[in-house]
Amino acid sequence: MKILIVEDEVKAADYLRKGLTEEGYSVEVAHNGVDGLHMASVNNYDLLILDGQLPGIDGLAMLGAIRQSSDVPILMVTARARVEDRVKGLQSGADDYLTKPYAFSELVARVQVLLRRRMGGRQVTEESVYRVADLEVDPIRRKVVRSGQRIDLTTKEFGLLALLMRRKGEVLSRTEIAEQVWDMNFDSDTNVVEVAIRRLRVKIDQPFERALIHTVRGMGYVIEDRPA
């Protein structure tokens, strides 16, 4: 699932990006309304998290512009807590409204609800589930199944697996994995990625006949179904 955050406060945006990435989502960030509107118009996102007060283009104006051509779910996150502000945001096209300060767990719950609502209560579609061979990852329900067997993962493990599955067949470097999953500048002396891959393999590969997570020497890691 791909999410766009439009938030002018850099620390707040980084906090959200890091947290949602750890939850297994693919996240992009814009720090003003102009960039946010452009990104929303040229990319396909599953959900937008939009601050109500933005430089360049105000959040409500951006909301109105997006609603002219898209029904993408939009969660407004703003310090404007008055009832009339919430009503105005919802009437302008927001699907939900969350006031600052908020608990991150509540934001995640609202994101999950909006994504499920976008599914219209139907069965999860083929496009919304990542598949490689007999491995299935449902990023909305946060469910991992291989050969019909449910696999329980930690938050970090799920984020790592979701990243690999989104980019299946593509070799990801340790640097990119560290930046995407741990939101950290990669240090060649750290083995955090190797340790995480090893733990993931214990759950995803070892109990089954065929390995899906592969090491590409000198380059990184890839998940794909290779011939035996």
Side-chain angles (χ1 to χ4, degrees), residues 148-167:
Q149 178 180 331
R150 179 73 177 262
I151 301 174
D152 294 323
L153 301 179
T154 66
T155 299
K156 288 293 188 183
E157 289 167 349
F158 186 88
L160 174 57
L161 180 61
L163 173 63
L164 291 169
M165 292 290 280
R166 283 198 306 271
R167 309 273 290 276

Side-chain angles (χ1 to χ4, degrees), residues 43-223:
N43 299 299
N44 292 320
Y45 296 102
D46 297 292
L47 183 138
L48 306 184
I49 297 177
L50 177 62
D51 184 44
Q53 298 171 294
L54 293 167
I57 298 177
D58 182 76
L60 287 177
M62 180 180 170
L63 177 59
I66 292 172
R67 280 293 174 252
Q68 291 181 16
S69 59
S70 174
D71 63 351
V72 61
I74 297 177
L75 171 60
M76 293 285 291
V77 178
T78 175
R80 294 170 174 168
R82 297 182 305 171
V83 172
E84 52 265 40
D85 291 325
R86 297 199 299 271
V87 170
K88 188 174 182 180
L90 294 170
Q91 290 179 337
S92 297
D95 295 277
D96 201 355
Y97 197 103
L98 186 61
T99 57
K100 301 177 182 179
Y102 56 85
F104 179 72
S105 58
E106 181 181 1
L107 181 137
V108 171
R110 289 173 183 259
V111 165
Q112 293 171 343
V113 167
L114 289 175
L115 290 173
R116 286 197 298 267
R117 187 181 302 165
R118 184 171 176 79
M119 301 297 295
R122 302 187 301 274
Q123 292 287 331
V124 177
T125 64
E126 293 291 325
E127 294 77 12
S128 68
V129 176
Y130 306 127
R131 289 184 175 86
V132 173
D134 57 349
L135 175 65
E136 298 182 357
V137 176
D138 180 350
I140 296 178
R141 296 190 175 96
R142 305 187 61 76
K143 182 179 179 182
V144 179
V145 175
R146 185 166 186 189
S147 292
Q149 178 180 331
R150 179 73 177 262
I151 301 174
D152 294 323
L153 301 179
T154 66
T155 299
K156 288 293 188 183
E157 289 167 349
F158 186 88
L160 174 57
L161 180 61
L163 173 63
L164 291 169
M165 292 290 280
R166 283 198 306 271
R167 309 273 290 276
K168 62 183 178 181
E170 181 179 346
V171 179
L172 301 181
S173 68
R174 291 186 299 162
T175 300
E176 183 170 6
I177 291 172
E179 290 176 347
Q180 290 287 327
V181 180
W182 282 270
D183 191 31
M184 59 182 285
N185 294 322
F186 185 71
D187 182 348
S188 59
D189 293 330
T190 184
N191 66 343
V192 62
V193 176
E194 289 87 344
V195 170
I197 289 288
R198 184 162 59 248
R199 290 176 176 171
L200 192 59
R201 279 172 166 156
V202 169
K203 297 181 179 181
I204 298 298
D205 283 342
Q206 285 189 10
F208 305 95
E209 292 184 2
R210 298 176 65 178
L212 297 178
I213 303 172
H214 306 280
T215 301
V216 180
R217 190 175 298 276
M219 298 180 64
Y221 303 95
V222 60
I223 192 165

